[in-house]
Amino acid sequence: MDIQIVGDDQYGRDAYAKLFDEIMSDLNKAVLIDRVRLTLRPDVPLFLFSIVLKAAPGPKTVGDVSTVRTDVGGVHVTITEERYAPDILEMLFSRYGRQNVVQQTRFDLDVKGASEPDVASLVVSSGEEDRREIMGALWRTMPEGIKNRKTLMTGNVITVVATEELLTAEMIDEGRKEHVAMGGSADV
């Protein structure tokens, strides 16, 4: 994740780079982010937080986050993205019955009577929860007292324009320019 901080205060830039990186890493969101540009102008006050995701969050299936293969009497699933393990297990229990899902290890499951295409196509995440979690993480990195925010989202670019004061048209325009500079659409 490439982090660029814009602002006059060297200490503030360094602190925000570290804070942003730690929060995103703690929430396991750093792996989803390609580039970040944080503009810190506390004198205005105006804060622009713009991120480019590696890909726009979309639905994830069991096949996207696991290795699924046909096995004797059913399907074997090896979960490769740990964060989806509880949802996959719950979904398989619900769909095939607890008695037909055998958990060999934390990430290895056997599903009796299932077919590989059916299990692989089960949707475990809509992608919206990733967006919400990233937005929550962005808000956590903002200074205390931020009351007004405008979020611009297109494709894989998210930009938040934030201030403690009234959010003016000029501030939103500045955020829109930043959004476009990061690769987002101008018509947000």
Side-chain angles (χ1 to χ4, degrees), residues 87-151:
D87 294 331
I88 291 171
L89 196 57
E90 181 181 327
M91 182 173 291
L92 293 174
F93 283 164
S94 172
R95 175 109 180 217
Y96 297 100
R98 190 176 286 268
Q99 71 280 3
N100 292 317
V101 179
V102 178
Q103 193 169 10
Q104 302 294 332
T105 67
R106 186 169 177 198
F107 302 118
D108 289 303
L109 313 166
D110 290 320
V111 186
K112 296 176 193 167
S115 73
E116 183 179 332
D118 288 342
V119 171
S121 67
L122 293 172
V123 176
V124 292
S125 172
S126 68
E128 283 307 306
E129 71 186 48
D130 279 334
R131 237 185 255 277
R132 276 194 306 273
E133 289 173 3
I134 288 170
M135 290 302 303
L138 275 174
W139 292 341
R140 284 184 197 128
T141 62
M142 291 182 185
E144 291 290 324
I146 293 294
K147 298 176 197 137
N148 297 306
R149 296 178 259 232
K150 170 89 173 155
T151 303

Side-chain angles (χ1 to χ4, degrees), residues 21 48 60 83 106:
D21 185 47
L48 304 175
K60 296 239 190 238
R83 68 181 291 236
R106 186 169 177 198

Side-chain angles (χ1 to χ4, degrees), residues 44-46 145-149 162-168 171:
V44 173
L46 177 63
I146 293 294
K147 298 176 197 137
N148 297 306
R149 296 178 259 232
T163 184
E164 298 168 356
E165 307 296 327
L166 290 174
L167 198 55
T168 66
M171 290 175 176

Side-chain angles (χ1 to χ4, degrees), residues 23-43:
I23 287 175
M24 291 300 172
S25 294
D26 286 349
L27 297 173
N28 293 322
K29 299 300 171 200
V31 296
L32 301 174
I33 299 172
D34 183 35
R35 292 183 297 131
V36 178
R37 182 178 167 117
L38 307 178
T39 302
L40 312 172
R41 295 181 39 208
D43 56 312

